[in-house]
Amino acid sequence: MYAQHFGLDREPFSIAPDPHYLFMSERHREALAHLLYGVSAGGGFVLLTGAIGAGKTTICRSFLEQIPNGCRVAYIFNPKLTVHELLGSICAEFGAQPQVPATREPTLKDYVDALNAALLATHAQGGSSVLIIDEAQSLAPDVLEQLRLLTNLETNERKLLQVVLIGQPELREMLAAPEMQQLSQRVIARYHLDALQAQETALYIRHRMTVAGLRGPLPFDARALSRIHRLARGVPRRINLLCDRALLGRSEEHTSELQSPCNLVCR
């Protein structure tokens, strides 16, 4: 809507998790490195947490683009499932079909047996299997316990399934509970994604506008950048919303101020 007013190829501040816009601050690089390490570690859990809008899903999408060849990935977007539903979803993602008569529904054992067979087949071909669960803070305790049990699937050499849990800060609190001790001990890598600092916010805004095709000066002055950081508290999704509204508002002003710095952000 406003891209042409600022000489852009496309609008730079969509809240959709587009890996092309991934801004690799030091924290984002560390978070991505933890995910990549977890894939190569051979079993257990990898934990990535952060506030809403901190960039977890975007990092995960970038991570998926760097998955090694031969690694099969199952991605669960909606974790508000029962144990039965979760196992069914995981089997469907990995193409594991329980062998049961048409006269009855698959049991938990049927699902686990089918999944184990599929994971063994991938392992025999020299591959690996990764299960990614987004919004994992919504998992029920019994579902988390079932996930722990799935990491028991193994050969004599290695675990067959790597589980990546991505969620909000509450997920850390959940796993710190005494009843989650066994699962927590299987977390081989964990990282909490903090908000951006003021300087990183300015770099983040410039990065997104450059990716979107900005060729001239940044249409935000220092005062606007400082205000955006303060109002958004360094959270990328909030930064996107503020910048998007500021640029849209400026583009609709049919005055000579159209080309001046956006120094009245979020009035």
Side-chain angles (χ1 to χ4, degrees):
M1 295 173 63
Y2 56 74
Q4 64 181 17
H5 290 280
F6 296 95
L8 304 175
D9 300 325
R10 50 183 173 173
E11 295 176 8
F13 294 108
S14 169
I15 61 173
D18 186 344
H20 293 97
Y21 282 103
L22 179 62
F23 173 70
M24 296 301 287
S25 69
E26 181 178 352
R27 279 173 286 276
H28 287 81
R29 285 194 295 270
E30 290 178 355
L32 182 57
H34 274 70
L35 293 183
L36 292 171
Y37 166 76
V39 172
S40 63
F45 289 86
V46 176
L47 183 64
L48 174 62
T49 57
I52 297 174
K56 301 183 299 297
T57 301
T58 302
I59 288 175
C60 184
R61 304 249 174 150
S62 181
F63 159 70
L64 289 173
E65 292 185 346
Q66 300 183 47
I67 286 285
N69 292 333
C71 180
R72 298 188 64 189
V73 178
Y75 202 141
I76 304 297
F77 295 92
N78 175 23
K80 290 188 176 182
L81 304 170
T82 65
V83 170
H84 201 276
E85 291 169 337
L86 178 72
L87 288 176
S89 296
I90 294 172
C91 283
E93 286 286 310
F94 281 120
Q97 183 63 43
Q99 301 300 311
V100 298
T103 54
R104 70 172 177 85
E105 293 294 319
T107 64
L108 297 183
K109 184 179 184 304
D110 292 328
Y111 280 126
V112 173
D113 288 347
L115 179 60
N116 187 51
L119 298 180
L120 282 170
T122 298
H123 174 72
Q125 297 170 2
S128 59
S129 302
V130 177
L131 169 63
I132 301 174
I133 300 183
D134 209 348
E135 300 295 340
Q137 75 281 348
S138 298
L139 292 169
D142 60 332
V143 176
L144 280 169
E145 174 61 14
Q146 180 61 63
L147 287 172
R148 184 187 71 82
L149 294 175
L150 289 182
T151 62
N152 287 335
L153 300 177
E154 59 189 359
T155 66
N156 291 331
E157 298 84 23
R158 61 173 294 163
K159 299 286 188 180
L160 293 174
L161 184 64
Q162 176 76 63
V163 181
V164 178
L165 300 178
I166 302 174
Q168 296 171 27
E170 309 87 275
L171 180 60
R172 293 193 300 175
E173 300 172 9
M174 291 169 56
L175 298 187
E179 59 271 22
M180 289 291 135
Q181 183 177 6
Q182 290 190 68
L183 189 153
S184 185
Q185 290 175 352
R186 298 192 183 191
V187 177
I188 59 175
R190 62 182 76 206
Y191 193 84
H192 182 72
L193 191 60
D194 289 318
L196 300 176
Q197 300 297 317
Q199 183 179 10
E200 291 173 325
T201 294
L203 292 173
Y204 171 82
I205 292 171
R206 179 175 293 280
H207 168 77
R208 291 193 69 104
M209 295 207 68
T210 299
V211 172
L214 181 69
R215 297 167 185 85
L218 191 68
F220 295 95
D221 63 11
R223 178 173 174 268
L225 292 172
S226 177
R227 194 174 187 188
I228 290 170
H229 175 74
R230 176 171 55 83
L231 292 173
R233 298 194 291 276
V235 176
R237 186 179 299 171
R238 294 173 183 164
I239 295 170
N240 287 1
L241 290 171
L242 287 171
C243 289
D244 184 72
R245 299 301 184 273
L247 293 176
L248 178 62
R250 184 62 61 165
S251 70
E252 292 176 347
E253 294 179 1
H254 301 289
T255 68
S256 60
E257 294 181 355
L258 182 62
Q259 301 300 326
S260 66
C262 293
N263 55 9
L264 294 175
V265 174
C266 301
R267 291 172 290 182

